[in-house]
Amino acid sequence: MPAPSPSPDTTAPATAPATAPASAASAPTAAASARTRFGPVALVVSAGVSVQFGAALAVTLMPRAGAAGVVTLRLAAAALVLLVLCRPKVRGYSRSDWGTVVAFGVAMAGMNGLFYQSIDRIPLGPAVTLEVLGPLALSVIVSRRLVNLLWAGLALAGVVLLSGHGGGGFGFGSLDPAGAAFAVGAGAMWAAYIVFSARTGRRFPQADGLALAMAVAAVISLPLGAVEAGSDLLVPSTLALGLGVAVLSSVLPYTLELLALRRLPAPTFAILMSLEPAIAASAGFLVLHQAMSVFDAVAIALVIAASMGAVRSQIGKKAQQL
């Protein structure tokens, strides 16, 4: 007969009691479960901090290279870094796999291009506030739980409040219409990015799909950046700042989000994006010296409460299924 499988008791010290207390046995399991649940949330929040401070740095670079030039520097540098680090294989994938990664790259190029055109015209806080409407709309469309719709509504209330008073008094009425339209378009592409990022993460190992999609996005943006900035893209100081923007705004956050989306449902991820206006307002204040009003603080509290409520409800749902 086959040998029996070893049990945990066979590795215990000889002086150990025959049966361990249930609480002691369950404590490590509970801690591991908590790390499993909150780990993806921490990844998303860290990605948000990185991308918004990267956006603030990009604003300081735009006078040198223009919005399209900054996008090209960001995506090209990020693609180069990821391709070197990941060394993704290009064989063994189906036509559907390649279609997914190309769609991911197109969404990434569109999201970045439209967003940088937006912050070239309007302040960072209102731009991100308008942009986040895309993920919020996605969360409402795909959610199947009433409580998630309620949290999305609360987050939307915060977004509306921030939009009216963000950036030290910049309401939508004082915003450049083209800049506002670019921000809304970036939000639509952001929603597409969420969908195709999750699909890419399931089809490609590690960050291989991200590296390939970033290369697609860089190829798409290169002609636009070259036309707008020309040889200014090759100035050493501009290249150095562009690399910093790429790491903060692309390499680090996209990698963290790709890892998070493998373990976090898309609706929860989308509602977590409600934190972006708050992070952007903080980055604008610290880097670009854009003041925040009392209304900004109230709006930030609303979107944080909505995001945390959505996460807690999702965790509660999972706990009931265990």
Side-chain angles (χ1 to χ4, degrees), residues 31-318:
S33 178
R35 287 194 298 269
T36 300
R37 292 170 181 173
F38 288 101
V41 176
L43 292 175
V44 175
V45 174
S46 299
V49 171
S50 182
V51 75
Q52 295 306 331
F53 276 84
L57 178 61
V59 172
T60 66
L61 181 58
M62 285 182 183
R64 302 187 185 191
V70 173
V71 172
T72 297
L73 285 173
R74 169 182 171 175
L75 294 179
L80 181 61
V81 170
L82 286 173
L83 289 173
V84 170
L85 292 178
C86 299
R87 296 182 181 179
K89 64 176 184 178
V90 295
R91 296 183 178 181
Y93 296 114
S94 66
R95 181 177 299 179
S96 178
D97 293 336
W98 282 110
T100 298
V101 83
V102 168
F104 185 23
V106 171
M108 195 182 302
M111 178 180 67
N112 283 282
L114 292 171
F115 177 70
Y116 277 80
Q117 291 293 334
S118 174
I119 61 175
D120 192 34
R121 292 167 171 81
I122 62 178
L124 183 60
V128 177
T129 299
L130 281 170
E131 186 191 25
V132 82
L133 295 178
L136 280 174
L138 176 64
S139 70
V140 172
I141 292 171
V142 303
S143 177
R144 297 182 180 180
R145 303 188 70 206
L146 178 61
V147 66
N148 281 342
L149 298 180
L150 294 176
W151 289 125
L154 180 61
L156 181 60
V159 166
V160 171
L161 182 61
L162 185 62
S163 70
H165 302 276
F170 289 98
F172 284 171
S174 64
L175 295 179
D176 177 79
F182 280 130
V184 173
M189 298 305 294
W190 193 357
Y193 159 81
I194 292 173
V195 173
F196 287 107
S197 178
R199 293 180 183 179
T200 300
R202 290 191 295 265
R203 291 172 178 264
F204 291 81
Q206 304 302 322
D208 286 9
L210 174 62
L212 294 171
M214 191 71 71
V216 172
V219 170
I220 293 173
S221 67
L222 184 58
L224 299 176
V227 169
E228 179 171 353
S231 60
D232 290 340
L233 292 176
L234 303 179
V235 175
S237 59
T238 301
L239 287 173
L241 287 173
L243 179 60
V245 172
V247 172
L248 287 174
S249 298
S250 295
V251 177
L252 183 58
Y254 289 168
T255 300
L256 293 176
E257 289 175 359
L258 189 66
L259 294 174
L261 280 166
R262 290 174 175 172
R263 295 182 288 165
L264 195 67
T268 303
F269 178 89
I271 298 177
L272 274 174
M273 294 297 99
S274 303
L275 287 170
E276 296 290 340
I279 299 172
S282 300
F285 174 75
L286 294 173
V287 179
L288 304 174
H289 308 292
Q290 296 173 350
M292 291 188 293
S293 68
V294 174
F295 290 98
D296 297 329
V298 174
I300 288 171
L302 285 176
V303 295
I304 289 177
S307 299
M308 294 306 298
V311 173
R312 289 180 63 86
S313 66
Q314 187 64 39
I315 291 174
K317 178 183 177 181
K318 288 186 175 181

